[in-house]
Amino acid sequence: MSSEPPAWVDAVLSRQRFTAYLAATGGDADAAVELEWWNLEVAAAFVVPLNRLELALRNALHPVLAAMFRRPDWWYSAPLDDNGRRKVTEAKRALVRLHGRPEVADDLVAQLTFGFWISLVSSTYHRTLWVPALHRVFPGAARRDLHEDLRNVLVLRNRIMHHEPIHHRHLDADHATVYRLLELLSPAIVGELTGRDRVPAILARRAPYGSSPAT
């Protein structure tokens, strides 16, 4: 059992970030290094199903909202709250920086964040968007449960994108949630994804430490 991490840890991870892995392994630096590598591997594997889910969500909501408001740039007619309008403005500014031309609806759809799309099925828009239109995207789903699932996935996705530890999460449950949402949005993609998804195999050989998710 080693209490000192290898030299690359300070240069690449920083001692402060490595502390979380040391805490999870009882101060065993060698085990902490293995846990950090495993965390990186499972995080990378999750990117694939999360990609399918994020794309499926926005591509399911956009046409329904465009039909509801009878315009492809429906965000100008939809009753977005302050946060929603801010995210649209940020996306428009990003497109100007990227393309240097006026916005195109399809480009803005791709630029809007995962969090923005998830917010559209929140309680904020229950009467204005869910009841008249968006419930059709998720046949039989309860909006509150759906939003909770999406929010949990968003937390996972953001931790992965910011290179944060996820080993302490209930990753089997997270994985099941992603598939449950995909079944609602695009059952056809589930079969395609299953054969390419590396998450189950990596979870099956979970590192010895970090195997008891936080409650």
Side-chain angles (χ1 to χ4, degrees), residues 45-60 114 137-139 141 146 149-150 153 174-195 197 199:
F46 258 106
V47 169
V48 174
L50 288 172
N51 170 279
R52 302 294 89 171
L53 176 59
E54 184 167 353
L55 293 178
L57 180 64
R58 75 187 190 203
N59 288 328
F114 193 24
V137 177
F138 310 94
L146 174 71
D149 279 348
L150 285 166
V153 170
D174 286 331
H175 190 254
T177 298
V178 172
Y179 272 77
R180 184 164 62 249
L181 293 166
L182 279 172
E183 284 280 3
L184 290 170
L185 288 164
S186 177
I189 195 59
V190 172
E192 286 282 329
L193 175 61
T194 301
D197 185 0
V199 172

Side-chain angles (χ1 to χ4, degrees), residues 1-6 18 21-34 209:
M1 174 176 173
S2 172
S3 59
E4 281 297 314
F18 191 63
Y21 297 96
L22 281 173
T25 59
D28 185 336
D30 292 336
V33 167
E34 291 303 312
Y209 293 98

Side-chain angles (χ1 to χ4, degrees), residues 31-76:
V33 167
E34 291 303 312
L35 176 59
E36 196 278 332
W37 278 110
W38 184 87
N39 187 89
L40 178 61
E41 189 175 2
V42 74
F46 258 106
V47 169
V48 174
L50 288 172
N51 170 279
R52 302 294 89 171
L53 176 59
E54 184 167 353
L55 293 178
L57 180 64
R58 75 187 190 203
N59 288 328
L61 298 184
H62 171 59
V64 172
L65 292 167
M68 178 182 178
F69 293 101
R70 300 182 180 180
R71 55 187 299 179
D73 54 356
W74 51 265
W75 39 86
Y76 291 120

Side-chain angles (χ1 to χ4, degrees), residues 54-55 58-67 71-76 88 91-92 94-96 98-99 101-113 116-117:
E54 184 167 353
L55 293 178
R58 75 187 190 203
N59 288 328
L61 298 184
H62 171 59
V64 172
L65 292 167
R71 55 187 299 179
D73 54 356
W74 51 265
W75 39 86
Y76 291 120
V88 169
K92 289 170 61 179
L95 287 176
V96 170
L98 288 169
H99 303 303
R101 57 173 168 77
E103 71 179 79
V104 175
D106 285 346
D107 290 341
L108 193 66
V109 168
Q111 191 66 35
L112 287 164
T113 65
F116 171 84
W117 295 105

Side-chain angles (χ1 to χ4, degrees), residues 50 114-116 118 149-159:
L50 288 172
F114 193 24
F116 171 84
I118 290 172
D149 279 348
L150 285 166
R151 286 288 302 170
N152 285 335
V153 170
L154 179 63
V155 171
L156 172 67
R157 182 258 189 207
N158 286 347
R159 291 193 68 83

